[in-house]
Amino acid sequence: MLHFSCDSCGQPLDDQRFVVRLEVFPAFEPAEVSEADLDVDHLQEIAAELTELEFSGEELEELHSQTFRYDLCPRCHSQYVKDPLRRDALRRLNFSEN
Ligand SMILES: [Zn+2]
């Protein structure tokens, strides 16, 4: 039997488990570089762009798509769905700085 714990607070989870699945991928489709584009000039351009953006080969792979999966307890779930990007939390931080 699999045992889960909440990825947010660490509490052991029973049947009342919520799964968060996130997929992050670029809207600009880096995979659209076709072989026809890969003449020498383009390669240099692409290499220059990649150097500018400081992507390593591994990071470029991650650019295509990243998925995250989290198990949450009911309490953390209800907090998560209210503010998935933690914008409220950040806003509160900014306010307290002023
Ligand atoms: Zn939790």
Side-chain angles (χ1 to χ4, degrees):
M1 190 180 149
L2 282 171
H3 291 278
F4 295 95
S5 56
C6 174
D7 286 321
S8 182
C9 70
Q11 164 184 308
L13 296 174
D14 51 24
D15 292 343
Q16 297 233 359
R17 178 168 62 94
F18 294 84
V19 176
V20 180
R21 289 191 64 224
L22 287 175
E23 184 175 9
V24 182
F25 54 89
F28 55 85
E29 305 251 358
E32 271 187 7
V33 179
S34 69
E35 283 191 32
D37 290 330
L38 295 181
D39 61 39
V40 175
D41 284 350
H42 275 96
L43 273 182
Q44 283 171 347
E45 274 174 35
I46 292 166
E49 279 170 24
L50 293 183
T51 307
E52 262 174 43
L53 296 172
E54 293 181 352
F55 290 137
S56 71
E58 250 175 53
E59 284 169 329
L60 197 59
E61 272 300 301
E62 288 174 359
L63 261 184
H64 288 270
S65 177
Q66 283 179 282
T67 56
F68 302 88
R69 186 185 176 285
Y70 303 103
D71 298 302
L72 295 180
C73 68
R75 198 170 137 258
C76 292
H77 159 263
S78 65
Q79 285 174 358
Y80 178 80
V81 294
K82 278 183 212 156
D83 186 17
L85 295 180
R86 301 188 63 76
R87 287 181 297 189
D88 286 347
L90 283 173
R91 230 174 273 142
R92 276 196 295 273
L93 262 182
N94 288 338
F95 279 136
S96 67
E97 278 174 11
N98 290 336

